[in-house]
Amino acid sequence: MKNDAPISAEKTSIQVIERMVSLLDALSRYHDPVSLKELASVTGLHPSTAHRILNDLCITRFVDRADTGTYRLGMRLLELGNIVKSRLDVREAALDFMRNLHRITNQTINLSVRQGDEIVYIDRAFSERSGMQVVRAIGGRAPLHLTSTGKLFLSIDEPKALRAYITRTGLAGHNKNSITDVAKLERELASVRSNGYARDNEELELGVRCMAAGIRDDSGKMIAGLSISAPADRLQEAWLSDLISTADQISAALGYVAKPTN
């Protein structure tokens, strides 16, 4: 039996989402573009309701409308799928290497990616015996300019993009050690570009220092950062070479081939 009632103000957003998903699922079962009549039939939606939802999905590029008035899945799904794939791939490639680095340092090892003006922690290797409270759980976020991994990403931004970030965020700080001065941040990022790694000297959390190295995919693009977090008085410079080596190994596992140095 068809659901003939159009979407009204009383219908919850969950019901709308369910109808959207039912249309996307229906489209996924067809190799060729599908007519509105067919989609309404297989989903049980009234044609006017299906048409209204499909129109919104076309506007957002989740669905494409073919010349014949038929529909097929849109390219935005592929774009989002590739983003998810890249993040899942780096997590899978990094896990064993992260565990090994944790065994060497006995400190928290973080895997993070950039999302807009923040980094997002997507995986972590740690033990309760490390003596440091984990303040950023998986899924947690932090401003780019206050974190070692965030500085890695800012260091590869074009000057115009960096200025836009500074304008949007105002370089808000979390404590007395946070970098909130434009000139100081620019000097810091120049150092990151020169050294190939980044540091957070209690700029995000007092009592916690970090060092980070970048992870690249097979195209050479930096897609994630690997960092060591430790109590400020316990972070050892000797770990830096292990960190960089581990990040390089993860990059190699993702297909990155470093260019030979002259």
Side-chain angles (χ1 to χ4, degrees), residues 3 8 61 118 120 163 208 213 255:
N3 181 3
S8 65
R61 297 173 52 241
E118 299 174 308
V120 181
R163 288 289 180 176
V208 179

Side-chain angles (χ1 to χ4, degrees), residues 18-34:
E18 287 174 346
R19 292 175 177 183
M20 291 173 62
V21 171
S22 70
L23 286 165
L24 293 173
D25 284 342
L27 285 167
S28 72
R29 296 196 290 269
Y30 293 85
H31 182 269
D32 297 320
V34 191

Side-chain angles (χ1 to χ4, degrees), residues 13-168:
S13 59
I14 296 299
Q15 289 173 307
V16 176
I17 292 171
E18 287 174 346
R19 292 175 177 183
M20 291 173 62
V21 171
S22 70
L23 286 165
L24 293 173
D25 284 342
L27 285 167
S28 72
R29 296 196 290 269
Y30 293 85
H31 182 269
D32 297 320
V34 191
S35 69
L36 174 62
K37 181 180 179 181
E38 179 71 10
L39 289 170
S41 175
V42 298
T43 59
L45 294 172
H46 190 279
S48 64
T49 299
H51 182 266
R52 188 159 49 246
I53 295 174
L54 286 167
N55 185 61
D56 288 342
L57 290 170
C58 286
I59 292 172
T60 53
R61 297 173 52 241
F62 286 103
V63 170
D64 289 336
R65 184 183 289 109
D67 293 336
T68 57
T70 53
Y71 300 87
R72 61 189 171 198
L73 293 178
M75 292 300 294
R76 188 166 184 195
L77 290 168
L78 178 62
E79 294 166 2
L80 294 176
N82 283 335
I83 292 173
V84 173
K85 179 178 180 294
S86 69
R87 291 174 182 172
L88 292 175
D89 285 350
V90 70
R91 289 179 67 183
E92 183 178 352
L95 186 56
D96 287 343
F97 294 108
M98 291 174 64
R99 287 171 175 166
N100 185 59
L101 185 59
H102 171 67
R103 283 192 290 268
I104 293 172
T105 64
N106 197 34
Q107 302 301 321
T108 301
I109 311 301
N110 310 290
L111 182 67
S112 312
V113 297
R114 179 176 186 169
Q115 192 171 87
D117 292 341
E118 299 174 308
I119 63 163
V120 181
Y121 296 89
I122 63 172
D123 215 337
R124 168 164 285 147
F126 72 99
S127 67
E128 299 298 335
R129 295 178 298 172
S130 65
M132 182 184 71
Q133 181 182 4
V134 177
V135 292
R136 289 290 186 276
I138 295 174
R141 297 168 177 269
L144 295 173
H145 65 287
L146 300 183
T147 63
S148 53
T149 292
K151 291 175 188 175
L152 289 173
F153 282 106
L154 287 177
S155 74
I156 61 175
D157 272 355
E158 296 292 334
K160 183 177 180 180
L162 177 61
R163 288 289 180 176
Y165 170 83
I166 292 170
T167 299
R168 287 193 303 272

